[in-house]
Amino acid sequence: MFIIAPSILSADFTRLGEEVVNVIESGADWIHFDVMDNHYVPNLTIGPLVCAAIRPLTQATIDVHLMVKPVDQMILAFAKAGANLITFHPEASAHIDRSLALIRENGCQAGLVFNPATPLDYLDYVMDKIDVVLLMSVNPGFGGQQFIASTLLKLKAARAKLEAYERQSGRKILLQVDGGVKVENIAEIARAGADAFVAGSAIYGASKASDPHRYDSIIAALRAELVNR
Ligand code: DX5
Ligand code: ZN
């Protein structure tokens, strides 16, 4: 019932294919794919070409987190490159409803991402077009940052909104969190209402050896915390 989504931002890019396969074989659920454009965020990462390259290596959901502005052209490119889920920041789209519809029209699940200071109000009129709500628990742009504590309150508020919607529509929307998630805090984050957890440095930083099972223990440790939350 909980989803663990390692962010490949912290993977060894000289061996990216192995890093994707190993983390899924070690028990992770999704591959979180961080796309940055040096415009919406002050960093530059990977694009649709890399998504298409890893697509044949795994059946796992490729969860594309767009930190780019504008978004529509990249939605089309990532849908074509094999993404399963595409999320974007409302500040980065001039027409949020249209961008959400575009994601679904191209066969993917859709989500909105909220920066630490972005209000949840953007959800109010588009709930029916959303499969995932992603709350940033760091300011986007870099891996390895500290979890921002106020995200716990925001998770509770988002969980309440999503539960009210689920009661009325019968449809479940996942609540995802991204940034600074670790073994030490994942239980508390789950108690605040999250059901999908992005972790970059905590997972890929856990071990550097070339053992294909080296992520088993870190993923098991995260899951154990979720079970005992
Ligand atoms: C930050 C990215 C995150 C990041 C998470 O802009 O969206 O997905 O890679 O990394 P950690 O888990 O190291 O905070
Ligand atoms: Zn991300």
Side-chain angles (χ1 to χ4, degrees), residues 32 34 65 67 178:
H32 184 79
D34 286 309
H65 173 192
M67 289 162 273
D178 183 7

Side-chain angles (χ1 to χ4, degrees), residues 16-56:
L16 186 58
E18 276 171 61
E19 292 275 73
V20 165
V21 170
N22 290 348
V23 87
I24 295 297
E25 283 182 356
S26 293
D29 301 295
W30 294 355
I31 293 297
H32 184 79
F33 193 107
D34 286 309
V35 185
M36 305 185 188
D37 67 348
N38 188 39
H39 170 69
Y40 180 65
V41 290
N43 200 356
L44 188 64
T45 60
I46 45 180
L49 199 68
V50 177
C51 183
I54 64 168
R55 178 69 285 177

Side-chain angles (χ1 to χ4, degrees), residues 14-156:
T14 65
R15 303 163 38 253
L16 186 58
E18 276 171 61
E19 292 275 73
V20 165
V21 170
N22 290 348
V23 87
I24 295 297
E25 283 182 356
S26 293
D29 301 295
W30 294 355
I31 293 297
H32 184 79
F33 193 107
D34 286 309
V35 185
M36 305 185 188
D37 67 348
N38 188 39
H39 170 69
Y40 180 65
V41 290
N43 200 356
L44 188 64
T45 60
I46 45 180
L49 199 68
V50 177
C51 183
I54 64 168
R55 178 69 285 177
L57 303 180
T58 182
Q59 308 270 19
T61 290
I62 300 181
D63 158 27
V64 172
H65 173 192
L66 293 180
M67 289 162 273
V68 304
K69 182 178 180 172
V71 299
D72 290 358
Q73 212 51 44
M74 286 302 107
I75 287 170
L76 296 174
F78 275 99
K80 216 169 160 190
N84 303 95
L85 164 63
I86 300 178
T87 62
F88 68 89
H89 292 247
E91 300 92 336
S93 171
H95 305 282
I96 296 165
D97 181 275
R98 178 185 284 156
S99 298
L100 287 168
L102 193 62
I103 295 173
R104 288 227 182 125
E105 281 160 21
N106 284 277
C108 299
Q109 291 201 300
L112 278 183
V113 192
F114 295 83
N115 283 336
T118 302
L120 295 171
D121 308 12
Y122 282 107
L123 285 174
D124 289 348
Y125 303 103
V126 292
M127 221 61 143
D128 59 321
K129 295 194 171 69
I130 286 184
D131 302 292
V132 176
V133 169
L134 171 51
L135 300 195
M136 292 307 298
S137 37
V138 298
N139 287 293
F142 304 93
Q145 303 182 79
Q146 274 277 333
F147 184 88
I148 295 173
S150 61
T151 312
L152 295 171
L153 279 176
K154 200 174 181 183
L155 278 166
K156 287 178 189 158

Side-chain angles (χ1 to χ4, degrees), residues 13 19 203 210:
F13 274 79
E19 292 275 73
I203 293 177
S210 59

